[in-house]
Amino acid sequence: MSKLLDPKVLMAIKELSLSAKMTIDGFMSGINKSTIKGAGLEFSQYRSYQPGDDLRSLDWKMFARSDRYYIRESEVETSIAIRILIDASASMNHSDGDFTKIDYARYLGASLAYLANLQGDAIGLYVLKNSGIFSMTPKQDFQHLARLFYQLETIHPDGTFTKPIHYKELFAGAQKRELLVFVTDLYQTDDEIINLLDTLNTLRHEIVVFHMVSRNELELDFKGYTSFEDLETGETIQIDQSKARTEYKTKLANYLAETRTKMLDRRIFYRTICTDEPLDQALRDFLKQRSKLRI
């Protein structure tokens, strides 16, 4: 694994577009190239040679094994539309060390967009917060990608998650299935995020949810702190970490298991990602889900 996938290294690279390029370059050099489609082609099948066939398509290894001529056929892989959804509610300002959940979400979103653009896909961006939804409809060109990077850089999380609006109309209109990638901490007070996912599910698109968590949340490791503030409501509570840690971890494990079940029931691909983890697994998951939408 390239150390360029380490979030600490990414955060040190201030220019988002450069970070995304270096991340994907490192990722591409560290995986089996056969998992990345080259030149828009994917192997399909062999067939017998027919007069007039392009001799460059002959498979000489098959000839050596069978003493017969075979043509290696490939099918063109068409591009798809990918919409990246970013939760920009105030809870995404939660920090662990030198960076926040939204920092990680920016770099993850930028890397996914760069990788999708590299594969010829149209990319869109949707930033969700209570003041409304910023949207960029999917396009496939470098200028659009540059604008997407700029919008990611300028995200300032605030307030609660977006209020219910005409989600279906916003994401409808596609002539074929698309890939929706939702980066969120799943912080909700009244199932508003689940309701959004239910609405998007009716459009029959492929949905991926990357659930952002931080290490100090997982371990309840906030050294020196006994008072905790809800970033979205402003409410505070007092706890004794040493006494509460065991009960907290049990409840957290139950919550994560219940969340995973909810996603499976909805046929949504779900993965928790800790903000101190490298990006490689998220990128692999993205490619896996993208491959399901080939035409």
Side-chain angles (χ1 to χ4, degrees):
M1 181 194 71
S2 170
K3 67 180 181 180
L4 288 172
L5 296 167
D6 187 325
K8 292 181 179 178
V9 176
L10 293 179
M11 303 308 163
I13 304 172
K14 300 303 181 182
E15 185 179 342
L16 197 59
S17 58
L18 176 60
S19 173
K21 181 180 185 306
M22 295 177 69
T23 297
I24 298 306
D25 286 348
F27 174 69
M28 296 280 279
S29 66
I31 66 173
N32 183 349
K33 293 299 191 300
S34 66
T35 63
I36 305 295
K37 311 300 184 296
L41 297 178
E42 181 188 10
F43 170 69
S44 178
Q45 62 183 357
Y46 292 104
R47 66 170 175 81
S48 298
Y49 171 78
Q50 300 292 329
D53 284 337
D54 189 343
L55 295 179
R56 291 175 297 181
S57 298
L58 284 173
D59 191 299
W60 296 106
K61 290 182 179 179
M62 284 290 291
F63 173 75
R65 291 197 298 266
S66 64
D67 200 31
R68 297 182 63 183
Y69 294 109
Y70 286 94
I71 295 293
R72 183 182 176 93
E73 285 191 325
S74 296
E75 54 189 28
V76 176
E77 180 189 351
T78 60
S79 62
I80 61 175
I82 296 170
R83 304 182 193 236
I84 299 173
L85 288 67
I86 304 291
D87 180 352
S89 57
S91 59
M92 292 290 283
N93 279 320
H94 176 82
S95 63
D96 184 5
D98 296 330
F99 54 91
T100 64
K101 289 179 182 178
I102 198 62
D103 290 329
Y104 194 100
R106 284 192 188 97
Y107 285 91
L108 175 57
S111 299
L112 294 176
Y114 186 89
L115 179 54
N117 186 73
L118 198 65
Q119 295 200 319
D121 298 321
I123 313 116
L125 175 67
Y126 300 80
V127 181
L128 299 92
K129 55 198 298 187
N130 69 346
S131 59
I133 298 180
F134 169 83
S135 63
M136 291 179 66
T137 55
K139 292 182 180 179
Q140 205 287 317
D141 63 61
F142 182 77
Q143 289 185 340
H144 181 76
L145 181 64
R147 289 193 293 269
L148 186 146
F149 287 149
Y150 172 77
Q151 294 299 332
L152 284 172
E153 289 173 339
T154 57
I155 293 175
H156 297 291
D158 182 49
T160 57
F161 192 76
T162 182
K163 304 301 181 186
I165 60 169
H166 303 295
Y167 291 130
K168 193 169 184 176
E169 286 77 4
L170 186 63
F171 295 97
Q175 300 300 311
K176 54 187 178 182
R177 293 177 69 199
E178 300 179 344
L179 179 60
L180 309 184
V181 182
F182 188 21
V183 184
T184 174
D185 63 357
L186 279 176
Y187 185 90
Q188 54 186 341
T189 58
D190 193 25
D191 283 341
E192 56 268 24
I193 294 179
I194 293 297
N195 291 337
L196 164 63
L197 292 172
D198 284 340
T199 300
L200 297 180
N201 240 348
T202 65
L203 301 175
R204 305 186 66 80
H205 295 312
E206 197 77 20
I207 302 175
V208 175
V209 172
F210 288 122
H211 182 183
M212 297 283 98
V213 293
S214 63
R215 185 63 58 187
N216 54 17
E217 285 180 307
L218 292 175
E219 305 295 335
L220 192 61
D221 183 14
F222 298 88
K223 296 177 181 178
Y225 291 91
T226 58
S227 179
F228 295 85
E229 179 182 357
D230 187 313
L231 290 173
E232 296 192 4
T233 67
E235 295 180 6
T236 61
I237 60 171
Q238 303 286 328
I239 68 168
D240 182 334
Q241 290 189 55
S242 59
K243 294 180 180 179
R245 185 170 286 114
T246 300
E247 182 181 0
Y248 172 85
K249 287 187 175 182
T250 299
K251 289 184 176 180
L252 178 62
N254 290 337
Y255 161 72
L256 292 175
E258 290 171 3
T259 300
R260 188 173 294 106
T261 298
K262 288 180 181 178
M263 298 300 173
L264 286 173
D265 289 344
R266 291 165 171 79
R267 297 185 179 181
I268 293 173
F269 182 90
Y270 167 83
R271 181 178 292 280
T272 56
I273 296 186
C274 188
T275 54
D276 63 1
E277 293 179 359
L279 294 178
D280 61 327
Q281 189 57 56
L283 297 175
R284 290 174 188 272
D285 292 339
F286 169 79
L287 286 175
K288 179 181 178 181
Q289 295 306 113
R290 181 198 178 282
S291 68
K292 290 183 178 181
L293 296 181
R294 296 197 308 270
I295 294 177

